[in-house]
Amino acid sequence: MKKWIATLLLISTLAASSVCFAAAENIVINDENVTIPAEMGTVREYDDRTFVPVRFVTEYLGCTVNYSETDISATITDTKGISYLITSGQPELYVLPNLGDGKLIKMDVLPFVDDNEGRMYIPVRFLAEAMNYTVDWDEATQTVILNAAA
């Protein structure tokens, strides 16, 4: 009986660690503490990365977002006219400048759509750095810090 209980505990611990959605406690963007409204999603940790809802963070940065349910993708356009195409389950981000050739940036983790919310999540560091932001992590306060590059 003890072996059976120990096995169940081990399996539940492994399952919980592989799909951990513990949130960072704070997000600071350009020195301003930002709170994501509950109706726009949450900050999530998965595969040792901090994921954020695509729409909230990019709109907060002044971008527009168009979501395609058909392609399960989001196109983000910044104030300079540069577009970023993200597709759920695909390890690439396409950067499409308003003039010139685009580029493909590989991610080491996949963006995903939460089926219960219908909301797309992406690693905040990856997206922010592609958009020319610096990203820091303050372990003591569990804070993700984004700042526009100079």
Side-chain angles (χ1 to χ4, degrees):
M1 184 69 161
K2 288 181 183 179
K3 286 183 182 180
W4 185 77
I5 292 172
T7 302
L8 281 176
L9 286 173
L10 177 64
I11 290 170
S12 63
T13 301
L14 290 174
S17 67
S18 66
V19 187
C20 176
F21 283 123
E25 292 185 24
N26 303 292
I27 297 178
V28 174
I29 301 176
N30 294 326
D31 299 322
E32 185 177 336
N33 198 11
V34 175
T35 302
I36 300 173
E39 68 273 7
M40 292 191 84
T42 60
V43 176
R44 297 182 177 194
E45 185 177 316
Y46 179 73
D47 200 16
D48 207 26
R49 308 286 189 304
T50 300
F51 281 74
V52 294
V54 171
R55 182 172 299 279
F56 174 77
V57 171
T58 55
E59 286 182 351
Y60 188 87
L61 297 175
C63 303
T64 58
V65 180
N66 290 308
Y67 182 74
S68 169
E69 287 188 36
T70 305
D71 300 331
I72 311 174
S73 65
T75 302
I76 302 158
T77 305
D78 70 15
T79 57
K80 298 175 188 166
I82 298 172
S83 293
Y84 306 84
L85 176 64
I86 303 164
T87 302
S88 179
Q90 298 298 314
E92 300 95 15
L93 171 74
Y94 294 96
V95 181
L96 310 164
N98 51 0
L99 298 172
D101 294 330
K103 67 180 176 177
L104 176 70
I105 303 172
K106 293 277 188 180
M107 292 185 276
D108 62 346
V109 293
L110 301 175
F112 66 91
V113 173
D114 180 302
D115 292 332
N116 294 324
E117 298 176 355
R119 186 168 283 106
M120 183 179 283
Y121 287 84
I122 189 166
V124 67
R125 176 176 298 277
F126 181 80
L127 179 62
E129 288 178 349
M131 298 178 78
N132 205 27
Y133 278 75
T134 60
V135 181
D136 290 308
W137 171 251
D138 183 335
E139 183 72 30
T141 62
Q142 299 289 294
T143 301
V144 174
I145 304 163
L146 307 178
N147 285 301

